[in-house]
Amino acid sequence: MSGYTSEDLTTIGRITTLYGVKGWVKVYSHTEPMESILEYSPWLLNINGQWKPFKIADGKRHGKGLVAKLAGVDDRDLARQYCGVDIAIEKNQLPELEAGDFYWSQLEKLEVLTESGEKLGKVSHLIATGSNDVLVVKGNAESIDRRERLIPYLPDQVIKEINLEEGTIRVDWDPEF
């Protein structure tokens, strides 16, 4: 079963390192709450440029993170090849969102414009902070400069409009900031 394309998938985490000797791995999760990553099946792992499905035999919270065991991966040496590999799922596995809510992956790569139309750059990624999420916007050849800006994700206050069809986010933000 292959034939997955990047457009059909969304990254939900990453296998970081080994855990123990029986094939378990540590997992960094992008899901909220973090344990939700264990509810998706199969996980798609990018192995040598090809997305391959893996079932999760077991998974649990461990300290401040998560550990998981891939089905059929029963020893440390076999598990080692999956360290550093992104975990994706098919987008159609994601729950439906309420109107006005967005997944982070939908916001990444969108062009960020001020209300007056100045291009600030594209969303590189988002950061979760204690109070609100933050857009990391990187300037490019088409933007007013090459600066990186951290713009708080505050709908109605800073984020004025998100238009997925046009691929834009309009913000109330001073370009000098």
Side-chain angles (χ1 to χ4, degrees):
M1 179 156 116
S2 97
Y4 298 105
T5 65
S6 299
E7 293 79 44
D8 300 332
L9 306 178
T10 189
T11 302
I12 59 169
R14 183 176 193 84
I15 295 175
T16 57
T17 189
L18 300 169
Y19 175 74
V21 295
K22 295 187 177 176
W24 285 72
V25 291
K26 290 185 179 180
V27 175
Y28 178 78
S29 173
H30 297 311
T31 64
E32 189 66 44
M34 78 166 82
E35 294 91 350
S36 294
I37 195 170
L38 300 171
E39 296 169 15
Y40 292 102
S41 185
W43 281 357
L44 300 170
L45 304 180
N46 194 330
I47 310 297
N48 298 323
Q50 287 216 315
W51 292 102
K52 300 196 178 195
F54 286 84
K55 291 201 181 308
I56 308 310
D58 201 357
K60 62 187 176 188
R61 191 167 186 120
H62 179 75
K64 292 183 180 178
L66 295 172
V67 293
K69 183 167 182 333
L70 302 173
V73 178
D74 297 320
D75 69 61
R76 187 176 179 88
D77 291 331
L78 197 51
R80 181 174 281 114
Q81 67 184 314
Y82 304 112
C83 293
V85 173
D86 284 335
I87 300 165
I89 60 169
E90 291 185 78
K91 286 181 182 173
N92 63 17
Q93 290 180 263
L94 293 170
E96 289 282 323
L97 293 176
E98 306 246 339
D101 287 345
F102 299 91
Y103 286 110
W104 281 16
S105 61
Q106 291 178 291
L107 303 178
E108 290 170 353
K109 308 282 185 272
L110 294 184
E111 185 81 46
V112 179
L113 310 163
T114 65
E115 289 188 292
S116 61
E118 294 176 288
K119 292 183 178 183
L120 300 179
K122 292 191 180 221
V123 177
S124 164
H125 59 283
L126 287 92
I127 302 170
T129 67
S131 54
N132 56 268
D133 297 333
V134 174
L135 298 172
V136 178
V137 179
K138 293 192 176 182
N140 55 35
E142 294 132 31
S143 57
I144 60 171
D145 57 31
R146 295 272 187 167
R147 284 181 45 201
E148 179 177 280
R149 291 176 174 81
L150 302 179
I151 300 177
Y153 186 80
L154 296 170
D156 302 325
Q157 296 172 43
V158 176
I159 308 298
K160 293 302 185 180
E161 178 192 47
I162 297 173
N163 187 323
L164 296 179
E165 289 76 35
E166 289 181 17
T168 60
I169 300 176
R170 288 206 179 271
V171 296
D172 181 4
W173 195 253
D174 182 349
E176 298 304 311
F177 213 62

